[in-house]
Amino acid sequence: MDKIASAMLSMIVIASTPNTIEYKANHSNELTNDIVIELSVEDKIRIKADEYGLNQELMLRIADAESQFRSVPNYKYTDENGRYTAFGIFQITRTTWKTYCDEDNTLEQRSNIDKNIECAMIIASESGVHHWNESKNNW
């Protein structure tokens, strides 16, 4: 590969659905082994479901029914103080988060995609998927 092509390759980010791969060249214009892979939300759910011994497809269906894989607050219901009651990919409520995942007062992290997925896997592995029964008709 000539120097121009190598330099151009170092600037290209090859994006594919659902992953993103970034190639970087070092100062000598040789390709390095630095590969950054950005996982999709669906891939993150699959990986975490496997880690916790849960059914991947069921957890994907729940996340799709709850938020369509988007990290959003629940716009349908608000509590008496005008705050959203559920957040994130798995729409975890304040009470459920505090019960299962709030070891260090991390309530504000419910909308963090990775933390929300992790918490959902903890909830499902420790007490089952009944926490998402309101959306059960859609999974």
Side-chain angles (χ1 to χ4, degrees), residues 115-133:
K115 302 257 187 220
N116 194 275
I117 292 170
E118 179 88 27
C119 185
M121 300 308 152
I122 291 168
I123 294 164
S125 66
E126 290 183 9
S127 72
V129 297
H130 70 276
H131 297 275
W132 296 282
N133 277 349

Side-chain angles (χ1 to χ4, degrees), residues 3 6 45 47 58 70 77 80 93 101 113 117 120 122 127:
K3 288 182 181 181
S6 179
I45 292 170
I47 290 167
L58 175 59
R70 295 174 297 135
Y77 302 105
E80 64 279 355
T93 64
C101 305
I113 291 171
I117 292 170
I122 291 168
S127 72

Side-chain angles (χ1 to χ4, degrees), residues 15-131:
S16 63
T17 305
N19 297 327
T20 301
I21 302 172
E22 182 179 293
Y23 295 94
K24 297 179 181 177
N26 63 20
H27 294 295
S28 67
N29 288 329
E30 295 294 320
L31 285 178
T32 66
N33 290 330
D34 296 336
I35 298 176
V36 178
I37 299 175
E38 174 93 17
L39 297 173
S40 69
V41 170
E42 292 92 336
D43 287 339
K44 290 178 180 185
I45 292 170
R46 284 185 186 96
I47 290 167
K48 286 296 178 185
D50 276 350
E51 275 182 37
Y52 284 86
L54 298 167
N55 181 306
Q56 288 181 12
E57 293 308 313
L58 175 59
M59 297 311 291
L60 286 166
R61 288 193 308 269
I62 291 171
D64 186 31
E66 290 291 330
S67 70
Q68 298 175 338
F69 304 107
R70 295 174 297 135
S71 187
V72 294
N74 184 330
Y75 288 102
K76 189 171 182 181
Y77 302 105
T78 60
D79 68 12
E80 64 279 355
N81 296 317
R83 294 179 295 227
Y84 299 112
T85 58
F87 282 85
I89 303 298
F90 283 92
Q91 293 294 289
I92 300 171
T93 64
R94 173 187 318 269
T95 305
T96 303
W97 183 276
K98 284 188 172 200
T99 301
Y100 292 94
C101 305
D102 197 22
E103 54 210 37
D104 296 320
N105 197 23
T106 58
L107 185 60
E108 72 281 351
Q109 293 184 10
R110 285 186 296 164
S111 56
N112 174 293
I113 291 171
D114 295 322
K115 302 257 187 220
N116 194 275
I117 292 170
E118 179 88 27
C119 185
M121 300 308 152
I122 291 168
I123 294 164
S125 66
E126 290 183 9
S127 72
V129 297
H130 70 276
H131 297 275

